[in-house]
Amino acid sequence: QVQLVESGGGLVQAGGSLRLSCAASGSIFSINVMAWYRQAPGKQRELVTRITSSGSTNYVDSVKGRFTISRDNAKNTVYLQMNSLKPEDTAVYYCYAQVQVDSNRRLYQYWGQGTQVTVSS
């Protein structure tokens, strides 16, 4: 079993910054993609950004230039640096990981419990 534990959410004023962390632990052979999703009240969960094991990244247009995803493969940890935050960034942010648990190459998907990010205007 694999657990993803997030930290770093909170309340910040518009224009401020927050840094989210997500550490994966448990039966991990390797981690392929790690990502951050978010879900605002009354809206569907959306992909914010993702990063592959080699470091390739993608971002949703609304956060390009403001958010930066990174990972430490040795620590099985992914980070999300969020700058110039806007009220519309308010949401529960979820960590996601695509994990290979043994040498069989099958990938399993895991989610964190979510961390609240609130940006006040």
Side-chain angles (χ1 to χ4, degrees), residues 38 40 66 86-91 93 119:
R38 67 186 179 186
R66 301 188 297 122
K86 304 175 181 180
E88 50 263 43
D89 294 318
T90 295
Y93 284 70
V119 184

Side-chain angles (χ1 to χ4, degrees), residues 58-72:
N58 299 94
Y59 296 89
V60 67
D61 286 347
S62 60
V63 308
K64 285 181 180 177
R66 301 188 297 122
F67 290 11
T68 302
I69 190 171
S70 61
R71 64 190 281 176
D72 184 332

Side-chain angles (χ1 to χ4, degrees), residues 45-102:
R45 188 175 298 188
E46 68 167 348
L47 174 63
V48 177
T49 178
R50 65 192 292 271
I51 184 168
T52 68
S53 56
S54 61
S56 296
T57 59
N58 299 94
Y59 296 89
V60 67
D61 286 347
S62 60
V63 308
K64 285 181 180 177
R66 301 188 297 122
F67 290 11
T68 302
I69 190 171
S70 61
R71 64 190 281 176
D72 184 332
N73 290 331
K75 296 181 179 180
N76 291 329
T77 299
V78 64
Y79 305 95
L80 181 62
Q81 179 65 45
M82 304 184 291
N83 298 328
S84 302
L85 282 161
K86 304 175 181 180
E88 50 263 43
D89 294 318
T90 295
V92 177
Y93 284 70
Y94 296 92
C95 175
Y96 164 91
Q98 207 177 62
V99 180
Q100 184 177 340
V101 300
D102 54 35

